[in-house]
Amino acid sequence: MIHKFPKYFSATLFFFCIWILGQNLNLNNLESEVIKNNREGKYKVSQKKLSDILLKDNLSKEEKGNVLFFLASTYRSVGDYPMCIDNLNKAKVIAEQLPDDKLLMRIDYEYAFVYFDNSDFTRCQLAMDHLAAQDYDNPYPEDQSYILMQEGYLFSLDKKFDKAEKKYNDALKIMKSASPCNLPIVYIKLMNMYGKSGNIHKTREIYNESMRISDSCNILKYKILTASEMEKIYKENNMFGDAYIISSKLDSLRRLENINSTVSEMHITDKVYTEKQQTIKEESDISKRTLVIISLIIFIVIIIIYYYKKTSGIKKDKLRMEETLEKMKQEIDSFSQSDDDIKLLNSQKYFFLDSDQLTERQKELLIHLAEGFSNKEIADKLFISESTVKYHLKNIYNILEIKDRKDFFLKLNSNS
Protein backbone atom coordinates (compact mmCIF):
# COMPACT_ATOMS: atom_id res chain seq x y z
CA MET A 1 0.00 0.00 0.00
CA ILE A 2 2.87 2.35 0.86
CA HIS A 3 4.52 1.66 -2.52
CA LYS A 4 1.35 2.65 -4.36
CA PHE A 5 1.19 6.08 -2.74
CA PRO A 6 3.84 7.71 -4.99
CA LYS A 7 1.90 6.49 -8.06
CA TYR A 8 -1.36 7.94 -6.76
CA PHE A 9 0.42 11.17 -5.83
CA SER A 10 2.05 11.46 -9.28
CA ALA A 11 -1.26 10.87 -11.04
CA THR A 12 -3.02 13.45 -8.85
CA LEU A 13 -0.23 15.96 -9.47
CA PHE A 14 -0.41 15.32 -13.22
CA PHE A 15 -4.17 15.95 -13.43
CA PHE A 16 -3.83 18.99 -11.16
CA CYS A 17 -1.23 20.47 -13.51
CA ILE A 18 -3.49 19.77 -16.49
CA TRP A 19 -6.34 21.52 -14.69
CA ILE A 20 -4.16 24.53 -13.86
CA LEU A 21 -2.96 24.80 -17.45
CA GLY A 22 -6.54 24.56 -18.60
CA GLN A 23 -7.35 27.73 -16.67
CA ASN A 24 -5.08 29.83 -18.86
CA LEU A 25 -6.78 31.94 -21.53
CA ASN A 26 -6.17 30.69 -25.07
CA LEU A 27 -5.80 34.00 -26.93
CA ASN A 28 -5.61 32.42 -30.39
CA ASN A 29 -8.87 30.52 -29.92
CA LEU A 30 -10.53 33.59 -28.42
CA GLU A 31 -9.50 35.78 -31.36
CA SER A 32 -10.75 33.21 -33.86
CA GLU A 33 -14.08 33.07 -32.04
CA VAL A 34 -14.39 36.88 -32.00
CA ILE A 35 -13.55 37.15 -35.71
CA LYS A 36 -16.14 34.47 -36.55
CA ASN A 37 -18.85 36.15 -34.46
CA ASN A 38 -18.11 39.57 -35.94
CA ARG A 39 -18.23 38.25 -39.49
CA GLU A 40 -21.61 36.74 -38.75
CA GLY A 41 -22.84 40.02 -37.25
CA LYS A 42 -22.83 38.65 -33.68
CA TYR A 43 -21.07 41.69 -32.27
CA LYS A 44 -22.98 41.62 -28.98
CA VAL A 45 -21.88 38.02 -28.41
CA SER A 46 -18.24 39.05 -28.91
CA GLN A 47 -18.56 42.07 -26.64
CA LYS A 48 -20.36 40.14 -23.88
CA LYS A 49 -17.73 37.39 -23.87
CA LEU A 50 -14.80 39.83 -23.88
CA SER A 51 -16.36 42.01 -21.14
CA ASP A 52 -16.95 38.94 -18.92
CA ILE A 53 -13.31 37.91 -19.38
CA LEU A 54 -12.11 41.40 -18.42
CA LEU A 55 -13.98 41.13 -15.11
CA LYS A 56 -11.81 38.18 -14.05
CA ASP A 57 -9.15 38.85 -11.42
CA ASN A 58 -6.57 36.34 -12.66
CA LEU A 59 -5.75 37.87 -16.07
CA SER A 60 -2.12 38.50 -16.90
CA LYS A 61 -1.11 41.83 -18.46
CA GLU A 62 -0.69 40.15 -21.84
CA GLU A 63 -4.15 38.57 -21.63
CA LYS A 64 -5.87 41.79 -20.54
CA GLY A 65 -4.11 43.83 -23.25
CA ASN A 66 -5.14 41.39 -25.98
CA VAL A 67 -8.75 41.17 -24.76
CA LEU A 68 -9.00 44.99 -24.86
CA PHE A 69 -7.54 44.89 -28.39
CA PHE A 70 -10.16 42.32 -29.50
CA LEU A 71 -12.86 44.53 -27.95
CA ALA A 72 -11.52 47.54 -29.87
CA SER A 73 -11.65 45.63 -33.18
CA THR A 74 -15.22 44.57 -32.38
CA TYR A 75 -16.27 48.19 -31.90
CA ARG A 76 -14.54 49.10 -35.18
CA SER A 77 -16.55 46.37 -36.89
CA VAL A 78 -19.80 48.17 -35.98
CA GLY A 79 -18.40 51.60 -36.79
CA ASP A 80 -18.22 52.78 -33.17
CA TYR A 81 -14.88 54.49 -33.61
CA PRO A 82 -14.72 56.44 -30.30
CA MET A 83 -15.19 53.22 -28.32
CA CYS A 84 -12.64 51.48 -30.54
CA ILE A 85 -10.04 54.19 -29.89
CA ASP A 86 -10.86 54.24 -26.15
CA ASN A 87 -10.16 50.50 -25.85
CA LEU A 88 -7.05 50.80 -28.02
CA ASN A 89 -5.71 53.48 -25.67
CA LYS A 90 -6.27 51.19 -22.67
CA ALA A 91 -4.64 48.26 -24.47
CA LYS A 92 -1.64 50.38 -25.49
CA VAL A 93 -0.89 51.38 -21.86
CA ILE A 94 -0.58 47.66 -21.05
CA ALA A 95 1.24 46.73 -24.28
CA GLU A 96 4.00 49.26 -23.58
CA GLN A 97 4.80 47.33 -20.36
CA LEU A 98 5.20 43.97 -22.13
CA PRO A 99 8.65 42.68 -23.20
CA ASP A 100 7.33 41.58 -26.60
CA ASP A 101 6.20 44.30 -29.04
CA LYS A 102 3.74 42.04 -30.91
CA LEU A 103 0.62 43.47 -29.24
CA LEU A 104 1.93 47.05 -29.50
CA MET A 105 2.48 46.50 -33.23
CA ARG A 106 -1.09 45.24 -33.74
CA ILE A 107 -2.46 48.22 -31.81
CA ASP A 108 -0.46 50.68 -33.96
CA TYR A 109 -1.87 49.03 -37.10
CA GLU A 110 -5.39 49.18 -35.66
CA TYR A 111 -5.03 52.93 -35.07
CA ALA A 112 -4.27 53.36 -38.78
CA PHE A 113 -7.31 51.25 -39.71
CA VAL A 114 -9.80 52.99 -37.42
CA TYR A 115 -8.71 56.48 -38.50
CA PHE A 116 -9.04 55.38 -42.11
CA ASP A 117 -12.50 53.86 -41.57
CA ASN A 118 -13.56 57.09 -39.81
CA SER A 119 -12.30 59.13 -42.82
CA ASP A 120 -9.81 60.89 -40.53
CA PHE A 121 -7.14 60.73 -43.24
CA THR A 122 -4.74 63.18 -41.57
CA ARG A 123 -4.41 60.99 -38.48
CA CYS A 124 -4.45 57.90 -40.66
CA GLN A 125 -1.43 59.17 -42.60
CA LEU A 126 0.39 59.98 -39.34
CA ALA A 127 -0.39 56.48 -38.05
CA MET A 128 0.93 54.90 -41.27
CA ASP A 129 4.08 57.06 -41.12
CA HIS A 130 4.57 55.84 -37.52
CA LEU A 131 4.26 52.22 -38.70
CA ALA A 132 6.84 52.81 -41.43
CA ALA A 133 9.24 54.34 -38.88
CA GLN A 134 8.87 51.37 -36.49
CA ASP A 135 9.82 48.87 -39.21
CA TYR A 136 7.77 46.13 -37.54
CA ASP A 137 8.28 42.51 -38.50
CA ASN A 138 4.55 41.89 -38.94
CA PRO A 139 3.51 38.20 -39.02
CA TYR A 140 -0.01 39.16 -40.21
CA PRO A 141 0.11 39.70 -44.01
CA GLU A 142 -3.53 40.90 -44.15
CA ASP A 143 -2.42 43.94 -42.10
CA GLN A 144 0.07 44.83 -44.81
CA SER A 145 -2.69 44.36 -47.39
CA TYR A 146 -4.92 46.84 -45.53
CA ILE A 147 -2.09 49.40 -45.39
CA LEU A 148 -1.49 49.08 -49.15
CA MET A 149 -5.23 49.47 -49.74
CA GLN A 150 -5.28 52.62 -47.58
CA GLU A 151 -2.28 54.04 -49.46
CA GLY A 152 -4.13 53.32 -52.73
CA TYR A 153 -7.23 55.13 -51.49
CA LEU A 154 -5.19 58.21 -50.51
CA PHE A 155 -3.71 58.24 -54.03
CA SER A 156 -7.24 57.91 -55.41
CA LEU A 157 -8.37 60.96 -53.43
CA ASP A 158 -5.59 62.93 -55.17
CA LYS A 159 -6.80 61.47 -58.52
CA LYS A 160 -3.51 59.59 -58.95
CA PHE A 161 -5.41 56.59 -60.27
CA ASP A 162 -2.43 54.72 -61.78
CA LYS A 163 -0.60 54.70 -58.44
CA ALA A 164 -3.82 53.85 -56.61
CA GLU A 165 -4.55 50.90 -58.92
CA LYS A 166 -1.07 49.50 -58.39
CA LYS A 167 -1.45 49.69 -54.59
CA TYR A 168 -4.88 48.03 -54.79
CA ASN A 169 -3.58 45.18 -56.96
CA ASP A 170 -0.66 44.62 -54.56
CA ALA A 171 -3.13 44.55 -51.68
CA LEU A 172 -5.41 42.07 -53.50
CA LYS A 173 -2.49 39.76 -54.25
CA ILE A 174 -1.54 39.54 -50.55
CA MET A 175 -5.15 39.24 -49.36
CA LYS A 176 -5.99 36.40 -51.78
CA SER A 177 -3.40 34.15 -50.15
CA ALA A 178 -3.65 35.53 -46.59
CA SER A 179 -7.39 35.98 -45.99
CA PRO A 180 -9.65 35.56 -49.07
CA CYS A 181 -12.83 36.34 -47.13
CA ASN A 182 -11.51 39.89 -46.50
CA LEU A 183 -11.06 40.65 -50.22
CA PRO A 184 -14.28 42.77 -50.30
CA ILE A 185 -12.52 45.39 -48.15
CA VAL A 186 -10.06 46.04 -50.99
CA TYR A 187 -12.69 45.52 -53.74
CA ILE A 188 -14.90 48.27 -52.27
CA LYS A 189 -12.05 50.81 -52.48
CA LEU A 190 -11.24 49.62 -55.99
CA MET A 191 -14.92 50.16 -56.94
CA ASN A 192 -14.65 53.70 -55.55
CA MET A 193 -11.62 54.42 -57.75
CA TYR A 194 -13.21 53.07 -60.95
CA GLY A 195 -16.45 54.92 -60.12
CA LYS A 196 -14.55 58.22 -59.86
CA SER A 197 -12.84 57.57 -63.19
CA GLY A 198 -16.25 56.78 -64.79
CA ASN A 199 -15.47 53.15 -65.56
CA ILE A 200 -18.91 51.76 -64.59
CA HIS A 201 -18.41 48.47 -66.41
CA LYS A 202 -15.29 47.65 -64.38
CA THR A 203 -17.04 48.83 -61.22
CA ARG A 204 -19.94 46.39 -61.80
CA GLU A 205 -17.54 43.49 -62.35
CA ILE A 206 -15.81 44.18 -59.04
CA TYR A 207 -19.17 44.69 -57.32
CA ASN A 208 -20.38 41.25 -58.44
CA GLU A 209 -17.14 39.60 -57.32
CA SER A 210 -17.26 41.33 -53.93
CA MET A 211 -20.88 40.26 -53.35
CA ARG A 212 -20.03 36.69 -54.38
CA ILE A 213 -17.20 36.44 -51.84
CA SER A 214 -19.31 38.10 -49.12
CA ASP A 215 -22.06 35.53 -49.77
CA SER A 216 -19.70 32.55 -49.79
CA CYS A 217 -18.04 33.72 -46.55
CA ASN A 218 -21.41 34.70 -45.05
CA ILE A 219 -20.24 38.19 -44.05
CA LEU A 220 -23.30 40.44 -43.97
CA LYS A 221 -21.27 43.55 -43.19
CA TYR A 222 -19.26 43.25 -46.42
CA LYS A 223 -22.47 42.82 -48.47
CA ILE A 224 -23.88 46.01 -46.96
CA LEU A 225 -20.66 47.96 -47.54
CA THR A 226 -20.37 46.70 -51.13
CA ALA A 227 -24.00 47.54 -51.97
CA SER A 228 -23.71 50.93 -50.25
CA GLU A 229 -20.62 51.81 -52.30
CA MET A 230 -22.35 50.74 -55.54
CA GLU A 231 -25.42 52.86 -54.71
CA LYS A 232 -23.18 55.90 -54.12
CA ILE A 233 -21.33 55.36 -57.42
CA TYR A 234 -24.60 55.11 -59.36
CA LYS A 235 -25.83 58.37 -57.83
CA GLU A 236 -22.52 60.16 -58.53
CA ASN A 237 -22.83 59.08 -62.18
CA ASN A 238 -26.53 60.09 -62.38
CA MET A 239 -27.69 56.49 -62.79
CA PHE A 240 -30.66 56.91 -60.45
CA GLY A 241 -32.63 53.92 -61.71
CA ASP A 242 -29.79 51.53 -60.90
CA ALA A 243 -29.23 53.39 -57.63
CA TYR A 244 -32.89 52.80 -56.66
CA ILE A 245 -32.60 49.02 -57.30
CA ILE A 246 -29.45 48.80 -55.19
CA SER A 247 -31.08 50.98 -52.50
CA SER A 248 -33.99 48.52 -52.13
CA LYS A 249 -31.55 45.65 -51.71
CA LEU A 250 -29.52 47.68 -49.26
CA ASP A 251 -32.56 48.39 -47.08
CA SER A 252 -33.23 44.65 -46.80
CA LEU A 253 -29.63 43.97 -45.81
CA ARG A 254 -29.61 46.74 -43.21
CA ARG A 255 -32.77 45.42 -41.62
CA LEU A 256 -31.01 42.09 -41.20
CA GLU A 257 -28.04 43.72 -39.52
CA ASN A 258 -29.93 46.36 -37.47
CA ILE A 259 -26.59 47.96 -36.65
CA ASN A 260 -27.98 50.95 -34.70
CA SER A 261 -29.77 48.68 -32.26
CA THR A 262 -26.65 46.54 -31.94
CA VAL A 263 -24.43 49.54 -31.12
CA SER A 264 -26.99 50.84 -28.60
CA GLU A 265 -27.16 47.47 -26.83
CA MET A 266 -23.36 47.20 -26.86
CA HIS A 267 -23.16 50.57 -25.13
CA ILE A 268 -25.60 49.35 -22.48
CA THR A 269 -23.45 46.22 -21.98
CA ASP A 270 -20.34 48.38 -21.80
CA LYS A 271 -22.02 50.59 -19.18
CA VAL A 272 -22.86 47.51 -17.11
CA TYR A 273 -19.26 46.32 -17.49
CA THR A 274 -17.93 49.74 -16.45
CA GLU A 275 -20.21 49.81 -13.40
CA LYS A 276 -19.07 46.30 -12.46
CA GLN A 277 -15.48 47.43 -12.78
CA GLN A 278 -16.21 50.41 -10.54
CA THR A 279 -17.89 48.15 -7.97
CA ILE A 280 -14.94 45.75 -8.06
CA LYS A 281 -12.56 48.70 -7.68
CA GLU A 282 -14.53 50.06 -4.72
CA GLU A 283 -14.59 46.62 -3.08
CA SER A 284 -10.88 46.29 -3.76
CA ASP A 285 -10.25 49.72 -2.21
CA ILE A 286 -12.26 48.72 0.88
CA SER A 287 -10.28 45.48 1.11
CA LYS A 288 -7.02 47.39 0.76
CA ARG A 289 -8.02 49.89 3.45
CA THR A 290 -9.08 47.05 5.75
CA LEU A 291 -5.79 45.28 5.11
CA VAL A 292 -3.86 48.47 5.85
CA ILE A 293 -5.76 48.98 9.14
CA ILE A 294 -5.20 45.34 10.18
CA SER A 295 -1.52 45.58 9.24
CA LEU A 296 -1.21 48.79 11.25
CA ILE A 297 -2.84 47.17 14.29
CA ILE A 298 -0.53 44.15 14.00
CA PHE A 299 2.47 46.48 13.66
CA ILE A 300 1.46 48.42 16.78
CA VAL A 301 0.96 45.18 18.74
CA ILE A 302 4.40 43.94 17.61
CA ILE A 303 5.96 47.26 18.68
CA ILE A 304 4.28 47.01 22.10
CA ILE A 305 5.44 43.39 22.55
CA TYR A 306 8.93 44.35 21.40
CA TYR A 307 9.26 47.20 23.88
CA TYR A 308 7.76 45.10 26.65
CA LYS A 309 10.30 42.34 26.01
CA LYS A 310 13.06 44.87 25.62
CA THR A 311 12.17 46.47 28.98
CA SER A 312 12.02 43.05 30.63
CA GLY A 313 15.32 42.16 28.98
CA ILE A 314 16.95 45.33 30.30
CA LYS A 315 15.84 44.43 33.84
CA LYS A 316 17.18 40.89 33.44
CA ASP A 317 20.45 42.20 31.97
CA LYS A 318 20.76 44.57 34.93
CA LEU A 319 20.30 41.72 37.39
CA ARG A 320 22.80 39.55 35.49
CA MET A 321 25.29 42.41 35.46
CA GLU A 322 24.93 42.88 39.20
CA GLU A 323 25.46 39.16 39.76
CA THR A 324 28.51 39.21 37.47
CA LEU A 325 30.00 42.16 39.30
CA GLU A 326 29.46 40.40 42.62
CA LYS A 327 31.21 37.27 41.31
CA MET A 328 34.07 39.34 39.96
CA LYS A 329 34.40 40.98 43.34
CA GLN A 330 34.54 37.61 45.03
CA GLU A 331 37.11 36.35 42.54
CA ILE A 332 39.22 39.45 43.05
CA ASP A 333 39.05 38.89 46.80
CA SER A 334 39.96 35.23 46.45
CA PHE A 335 42.89 36.06 44.20
CA SER A 336 44.15 38.91 46.31
CA GLN A 337 47.01 36.70 47.46
CA SER A 338 50.48 37.22 46.00
CA ASP A 339 51.59 35.85 42.61
CA ASP A 340 54.20 33.72 44.37
CA ASP A 341 51.50 32.04 46.43
CA ILE A 342 49.49 31.36 43.25
CA LYS A 343 52.51 29.92 41.48
CA LEU A 344 53.27 27.74 44.47
CA LEU A 345 49.70 26.42 44.60
CA ASN A 346 49.63 25.76 40.88
CA SER A 347 53.02 24.06 40.86
CA GLN A 348 51.89 21.81 43.67
CA LYS A 349 48.69 20.94 41.88
CA TYR A 350 50.08 20.54 38.32
CA PHE A 351 53.40 18.75 38.02
CA PHE A 352 53.96 19.90 34.43
CA LEU A 353 54.14 23.61 35.27
CA ASP A 354 57.74 23.23 36.44
CA SER A 355 58.80 21.61 33.17
CA ASP A 356 61.31 23.62 31.15
CA GLN A 357 60.59 21.57 28.03
CA LEU A 358 57.01 22.81 27.67
CA THR A 359 56.01 26.19 26.26
CA GLU A 360 53.60 28.48 28.08
CA ARG A 361 50.98 27.71 25.42
CA GLN A 362 51.39 23.96 25.98
CA LYS A 363 51.13 24.41 29.75
CA GLU A 364 47.94 26.46 29.28
CA LEU A 365 46.52 23.66 27.15
CA LEU A 366 47.39 21.06 29.83
CA ILE A 367 45.72 23.13 32.55
CA HIS A 368 42.45 23.00 30.56
CA LEU A 369 42.97 19.27 30.01
CA ALA A 370 43.55 18.75 33.72
CA GLU A 371 40.36 20.66 34.51
CA GLY A 372 38.42 18.04 32.52
CA PHE A 373 37.67 19.94 29.30
CA SER A 374 37.30 18.00 26.02
CA ASN A 375 39.49 18.68 22.97
CA LYS A 376 36.70 20.72 21.35
CA GLU A 377 36.16 22.80 24.50
CA ILE A 378 39.91 23.42 24.76
CA ALA A 379 39.97 24.46 21.11
CA ASP A 380 37.15 26.96 21.72
CA LYS A 381 38.86 28.42 24.77
CA LEU A 382 42.24 28.82 23.02
CA PHE A 383 40.64 29.93 19.71
CA ILE A 384 42.28 27.14 17.73
CA SER A 385 40.97 24.14 15.81
CA GLU A 386 40.34 20.76 17.44
CA SER A 387 42.93 19.15 15.16
CA THR A 388 45.52 21.68 16.42
CA VAL A 389 44.69 20.65 20.01
CA LYS A 390 45.27 17.00 19.11
CA TYR A 391 48.57 17.89 17.46
CA HIS A 392 49.79 19.77 20.56
CA LEU A 393 48.74 16.94 22.89
CA LYS A 394 50.69 14.43 20.83
CA ASN A 395 53.83 16.55 21.14
CA ILE A 396 53.23 17.15 24.86
CA TYR A 397 52.75 13.43 25.55
CA ASN A 398 56.09 12.72 23.83
CA ILE A 399 57.85 15.39 25.89
CA LEU A 400 56.39 14.19 29.19
CA GLU A 401 56.75 10.53 28.20
CA ILE A 402 53.03 9.95 28.66
CA LYS A 403 51.08 7.43 26.58
CA ASP A 404 47.65 9.07 26.43
CA ARG A 405 45.06 11.13 28.29
CA LYS A 406 44.42 8.30 30.80
CA ASP A 407 48.11 8.07 31.61
CA PHE A 408 48.19 11.88 31.99
CA PHE A 409 45.44 11.83 34.65
CA LEU A 410 47.13 8.92 36.49
CA LYS A 411 50.33 10.91 36.70
CA LEU A 412 48.40 14.05 37.67
CA ASN A 413 46.67 12.23 40.54
CA SER A 414 49.92 10.64 41.76
CA ASN A 415 51.53 14.10 41.98
CA SER A 416 48.64 15.80 43.76
Side-chain angles (χ1 to χ4, degrees):
M1 185 69 182
I2 294 173
H3 295 295
K4 291 181 180 179
F5 176 74
K7 294 181 180 179
Y8 294 143
F9 178 75
S10 300
T12 304
L13 183 62
F14 172 76
F15 286 115
F16 177 74
C17 291
I18 293 293
W19 181 81
I20 287 295
L21 291 172
Q23 305 309 301
N24 293 337
L25 188 63
N26 190 316
L27 293 173
N28 291 331
N29 289 347
L30 179 62
E31 183 175 18
S32 298
E33 184 180 346
V34 169
I35 290 171
K36 181 177 181 295
N37 286 335
N38 292 348
R39 282 180 175 176
E40 295 173 359
K42 300 176 182 177
Y43 309 110
K44 290 183 291 183
V45 175
S46 292
Q47 189 217 22
K48 177 71 168 59
K49 184 176 183 68
L50 294 170
S51 295
D52 287 344
I53 292 171
L54 284 172
L55 287 172
K56 294 181 179 178
D57 295 330
N58 60 342
L59 288 180
S60 66
K61 285 185 179 180
E62 182 184 7
E63 289 170 341
K64 187 174 182 180
N66 276 279
V67 172
L68 285 167
F69 171 75
F70 300 153
L71 193 57
S73 64
T74 299
Y75 276 113
R76 183 166 73 90
S77 296
V78 295
D80 193 342
Y81 305 125
M83 287 299 292
C84 173
I85 292 171
D86 180 60
N87 282 285
L88 282 179
N89 291 340
K90 292 175 184 175
K92 187 170 185 178
V93 171
I94 296 172
E96 288 173 341
Q97 302 173 35
L98 300 176
D100 188 357
D101 68 351
K102 180 181 175 182
L103 177 59
L104 187 61
M105 175 202 70
R106 298 192 74 184
I107 291 169
D108 284 343
Y109 270 90
E110 192 70 14
Y111 276 123
F113 302 151
V114 69
Y115 291 139
F116 181 83
D117 290 353
N118 198 28
S119 300
D120 190 347
F121 299 124
T122 302
R123 286 188 177 181
C124 176
Q125 186 61 61
L126 289 172
M128 291 196 296
D129 291 343
H130 173 74
L131 287 172
Q134 297 304 308
D135 193 24
Y136 285 124
D137 183 16
N138 192 341
Y140 302 95
E142 59 266 35
D143 285 351
Q144 188 58 34
S145 177
Y146 293 146
I147 292 295
L148 289 169
M149 178 268 294
Q150 291 180 182
E151 290 175 349
Y153 185 76
L154 295 176
F155 279 131
S156 180
L157 289 177
D158 293 337
K159 300 188 184 305
K160 298 176 181 177
F161 298 123
D162 290 342
K163 289 184 177 181
E165 187 174 28
K166 184 178 184 309
K167 291 287 184 180
Y168 287 142
N169 288 331
D170 289 343
L172 286 170
K173 185 176 179 182
I174 295 172
M175 194 66 81
K176 279 178 183 177
S177 59
S179 183
C181 282
N182 286 323
L183 281 168
I185 296 176
V186 186
Y187 280 138
I188 291 164
K189 298 305 177 187
L190 201 53
M191 285 168 58
N192 178 277
M193 185 196 72
Y194 284 124
K196 285 182 179 178
S197 63
N199 192 342
I200 302 302
H201 175 73
K202 189 69 174 176
T203 303
R204 282 173 174 159
E205 284 183 0
I206 298 170
Y207 166 79
N208 291 329
E209 180 62 14
S210 183
M211 291 298 282
R212 184 190 68 78
I213 293 172
S214 299
D215 273 328
S216 64
C217 294
N218 192 30
I219 305 177
L220 178 61
K221 178 186 173 182
Y222 289 170
K223 291 168 73 174
I224 293 171
L225 291 174
T226 303
S228 179
E229 185 65 33
M230 196 70 221
E231 179 193 34
K232 186 176 73 172
I233 291 168
Y234 279 143
K235 287 179 179 178
E236 287 174 351
N237 286 275
N238 300 317
M239 301 173 68
F240 296 108
D242 293 319
Y244 176 77
I245 295 171
I246 289 287
S247 179
S248 300
K249 184 174 184 178
L250 194 55
D251 287 340
S252 300
L253 292 170
R254 281 173 175 160
R255 278 194 294 273
L256 289 173
E257 188 180 45
N258 197 13
I259 197 71
N260 290 331
S261 174
T262 299
V263 172
S264 177
E265 290 177 18
M266 286 175 69
H267 279 196
I268 292 171
T269 303
D270 186 74
K271 184 180 178 183
V272 172
Y273 161 69
T274 305
E275 288 174 352
K276 280 185 179 179
Q277 272 195 322
Q278 183 62 31
T279 302
I280 291 169
K281 185 178 182 301
E282 288 173 359
E283 290 175 352
S284 176
D285 289 342
I286 291 170
S287 298
K288 286 177 182 177
R289 284 197 295 271
T290 304
L291 183 62
V292 169
I293 291 169
I294 292 171
S295 300
L296 188 59
I297 291 169
I298 292 171
F299 179 73
I300 291 170
V301 170
I302 290 171
I303 292 293
I304 292 169
I305 292 171
Y306 170 76
Y307 277 107
Y308 172 76
K309 288 188 174 181
K310 188 176 181 182
T311 305
S312 300
I314 290 171
K315 289 179 181 178
K316 288 179 181 178
D317 289 342
K318 188 177 179 181
L319 288 172
R320 280 198 295 268
M321 191 175 293
E322 289 174 354
E323 289 175 0
T324 304
L325 289 171
E326 183 61 31
K327 285 182 180 178
M328 288 175 66
K329 185 181 176 183
Q330 291 175 0
E331 288 177 358
I332 290 169
D333 290 341
S334 65
F335 286 104
S336 58
Q337 53 192 311
S338 67
D339 289 341
D340 292 336
D341 292 338
I342 294 170
K343 288 179 181 179
L344 180 61
L345 287 171
N346 283 338
S347 61
Q348 290 174 349
K349 184 177 179 182
Y350 301 127
F351 68 92
F352 50 80
L353 292 178
D354 295 330
S355 174
D356 296 330
Q357 294 177 295
L358 296 175
T359 65
E360 291 302 317
R361 187 68 162 171
Q362 287 173 332
K363 290 176 182 179
E364 185 181 4
L365 190 151
L366 283 175
I367 289 170
H368 290 310
L369 181 65
E371 290 174 351
F373 291 109
S374 65
N375 289 352
K376 187 178 184 311
E377 289 171 331
I378 295 170
D380 292 339
K381 286 180 176 293
L382 299 180
F383 304 103
I384 57 177
S385 67
E386 192 174 350
S387 59
T388 303
V389 171
K390 290 178 181 178
Y391 172 76
H392 282 310
L393 286 175
K394 184 179 178 182
N395 290 336
I396 291 168
Y397 291 160
N398 288 334
I399 293 169
L400 298 177
E401 297 179 355
I402 294 172
K403 295 178 183 178
D404 52 25
R405 187 185 295 251
K406 183 180 178 181
D407 194 25
F408 169 75
F409 281 106
L410 287 173
K411 191 169 184 179
L412 188 68
N413 291 332
S414 66
N415 283 276
S416 60

